[in-house]
């Protein structure tokens, strides 16, 4: 019974606010994590801001020096548009776009 009550409450909340989407990307990079991070900060920050995309986290995989995770959040649908318009920038920053695996979450 509590589960049904929780679901009803969640759907009421979602109907009154814009859904946020959080996307977790895992990918390989062609340079060091430090170089890649610096490039993200320098060349992508303005585009992210104007698109309304927030960078929540980025990190290096524990057992691999060339595998990273990056987490973005924005209004639902915004991240897909952002990724498609910035793919060349990501590649020039060291992201191997053909290795991207992503998972989407929204609320």
């Amino acid at each position: 019974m509590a589960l049904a009550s929780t679901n009803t409450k969640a759907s009421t909340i979602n109907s009154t606010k814009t859904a946020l989407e959080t996307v977790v990307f895992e990918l390989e990079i062609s340079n060091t994590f430090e170089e890649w991070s610096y490039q993200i900060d320098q060349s992508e920050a303005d585009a992210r801001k104007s698109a309304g995309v927030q960078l929540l986290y980025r990190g290096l995989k524990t057992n691999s020096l060339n595998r990273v995770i990056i987490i973005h959040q924005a209004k639902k649908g915004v991240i897909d548009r952002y990724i498609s318009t910035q793919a060349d920038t990501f590649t020039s920053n060291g992201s191997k776009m053909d290795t991207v695996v992503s998972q989407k979450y929204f609320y």
Side-chain angles (χ1 to χ4, degrees), residues 59-71:
L60 185 60
K61 191 164 185 175
T62 305
N63 60 354
S64 176
L65 295 178
N66 72 333
R67 193 104 185 130
V68 297
I69 185 173
I70 187 165
I71 303 173

Side-chain angles (χ1 to χ4, degrees), residues 16-75:
T16 60
K17 65 186 259 186
T18 303
L20 281 180
E21 183 173 54
T22 303
V23 183
V24 179
F25 297 96
E26 187 177 321
L27 63 139
E28 291 180 14
I29 55 175
S30 61
N31 47 10
T32 67
F33 180 74
E34 291 77 16
E35 292 168 329
W36 178 75
S37 296
Y38 177 79
Q39 291 299 327
I40 287 173
D41 291 342
Q42 297 303 307
S43 66
E44 298 175 25
D46 290 340
R48 269 196 315 272
K49 186 176 181 179
S50 26
V53 175
Q54 184 176 17
L55 178 110
L56 299 180
Y57 177 80
R58 64 175 177 246
L60 185 60
K61 191 164 185 175
T62 305
N63 60 354
S64 176
L65 295 178
N66 72 333
R67 193 104 185 130
V68 297
I69 185 173
I70 187 165
I71 303 173
H72 288 108
Q73 188 174 64
K75 290 181 183 176

Side-chain angles (χ1 to χ4, degrees), residues 64-104:
S64 176
L65 295 178
N66 72 333
R67 193 104 185 130
V68 297
I69 185 173
I70 187 165
I71 303 173
H72 288 108
Q73 188 174 64
K75 290 181 183 176
K76 191 166 183 191
V78 169
I79 295 172
D80 285 340
R81 288 189 300 275
Y82 171 71
I83 297 299
S84 67
T85 61
Q86 295 295 314
D88 290 340
T89 302
F90 301 150
T91 300
S92 69
N93 289 344
S95 297
K96 294 183 176 181
M97 298 305 287
D98 59 334
T99 67
V100 173
V101 176
S102 65
Q103 296 178 350
K104 294 181 181 183

